[in-house]
Amino acid sequence: MVRPRFTKLPLKQQQAIVQAALDEFAAHGFHDASLNRMIEAAGISKGTMYYYFDGKEDLYAYVARTGLAGLFVRVGPLPELDVGGADEFWAVLEGYYLNLLRALAASPQLAALLRGWTAASRTPSFETAKADLEQASLPWIEQALATGQGVGAVREDLPPSLLIAVVMGMGQAMDIWLMAQQPDDDALPGLVSSLITMIRRAVSA
Amino acid sequence: MVRPRFTKLPLKQQQAIVQAALDEFAAHGFHDASLNRMIEAAGISKGTMYYYFDGKEDLYAYVARTGLAGLFVRVGPLPELDVGGADEFWAVLEGYYLNLLRALAASPQLAALLRGWTAASRTPSFETAKADLEQASLPWIEQALATGQGVGAVREDLPPSLLIAVVMGMGQAMDIWLMAQQPDDDALPGLVSSLITMIRRAVSA
DNA sequence: CCTTGCTTAGACCACCAGTATAAACCGGTG
DNA sequence: CACCGGTTTATACTGGTGGTCTAAGCAAGG
């Protein structure tokens, strides 16, 4: 876990370190990112880095967590999902997904980081960072799923873990495809609508 | 690319090297697998390994390719898909998927290797091996997709690349979920049927 | 028997994440 | 002012990695 003293550092230096780490992780992925390059870019020594962070995993988790937190601050909270029937449920999800994608497109480094998340998350040398971030995101998804089942928008004949896995798999594939296409702003809503419809068809009752 | 001379080696030694590499890659994933451990397990020197293979990527690609080829030999070729309408198309796919999964369950090391494939495939130090295997599998999928569209089983209003991405994302998520569940043999067909149905609902016309 | 070229072993390289250590700094206190 | 103790820093170091290189072994052909 990141040392508390890091937050007491001057903001300038915090940002320098986080930015250098974000650049390096986004450019090379977790494994191929070099701590040595990061500390050089940040203008600090290796001892300093290890004085503030437990290690590479810890730094990655911190950068990803703060970046994600910033993203959700920019996008705002997920609106209430249980205000209507299935159609409203999916419409709200679609709108929120569109907002998320737009915010993500504005932070390509963060997007690269999250894309690489999948890549690194199944390698053995990554367990703590993985658990760290998934603890934060899974309950959110579980709750959305339960709400969807509550309003009759999501089937209940399959294990929730399977539905979550499939939806996340589809979402990842769509994200990567969308980033690769780089659609212009007025084409995006139509595409997102198609994608949400695919998910809806797969998991609706 | 693997050197041709490797195939001229006595079969025993070829198998020793491939088996050692398969064990190591399956146990640790691409990045955390150690060439040094492999050559120790195979009883050869580092010079020998680099005499037969270009490097770690090359070795991984070779092991994955031969393992996959063996799997498809055991399972047999994909039956004709264009013999009927949409229902037959999906039924044939479902049966073939079931066979593939059963064969894969019988080779846990190969399964681990392929699961790790997704993990490693988006890291920069993996591009050639990635391209190598995907060149082999993509046309196969494209053709199945085109056949599905031909018999009216697959929608034609979205870019093929998106359909492929989504289907592969769903398939990966399902594979991983299934491997984690380790369902017994008589539960598997029902689950596979549910999974294929989800894919069908997502991409059907 | 000797040469030639394929094969092999292992020393070596640059780099990696992570550690150990000792010096520098700095606020507080006698 | 002098000293002290904790905080922060720079840097040398460790054991490991994938990858390279060279010189010796060895077997076949003249």
Side-chain angles (χ1 to χ4, degrees), chain A residues 39 44-53:
Chain A
I39 64 179
I44 62 173
S45 75
K46 184 172 284 200
T48 305
M49 185 65 101
Y50 277 90
Y51 184 73
Y52 291 117
F53 293 93

Side-chain angles (χ1 to χ4, degrees), chain A residues 28-108:
Chain A
H28 299 95
F30 176 75
H31 266 290
D32 293 337
S34 161
L35 273 183
N36 292 330
R37 282 194 294 260
M38 293 179 206
I39 64 179
E40 194 176 357
I44 62 173
S45 75
K46 184 172 284 200
T48 305
M49 185 65 101
Y50 277 90
Y51 184 73
Y52 291 117
F53 293 93
D54 275 350
K56 202 181 183 183
E57 277 189 33
D58 188 29
L59 178 60
Y60 186 95
Y62 178 78
V63 169
R65 200 169 348 112
T66 54
L68 215 51
L71 184 75
F72 279 102
V73 164
R74 287 196 294 280
V75 158
L78 178 68
E80 292 293 324
L81 285 170
D82 52 356
V83 295
D87 286 338
E88 288 85 354
F89 175 85
W90 289 108
V92 170
L93 264 193
E94 181 178 321
Y96 194 65
Y97 184 45
L98 185 58
N99 285 342
L100 265 184
L101 277 179
R102 282 190 165 132
L104 209 53
S107 343

Side-chain angles (χ1 to χ4, degrees), chain B residues 49-73:
Chain B
M49 184 66 102
Y50 275 90
Y51 183 71
Y52 290 117
F53 293 93
D54 276 349
K56 200 182 186 184
E57 275 189 35
D58 188 29
L59 178 59
Y60 186 94
Y62 178 78
V63 168
R65 203 171 344 114
T66 55
L68 213 52
L71 184 75
F72 278 101
V73 164

Side-chain angles (χ1 to χ4, degrees), chain B residues 69-94:
Chain B
L71 184 75
F72 278 101
V73 164
R74 285 197 294 282
V75 161
L78 179 69
E80 292 293 324
L81 285 171
D82 53 355
V83 295
D87 287 338
E88 288 85 353
F89 175 86
W90 289 107
V92 169
L93 264 193
E94 181 179 323

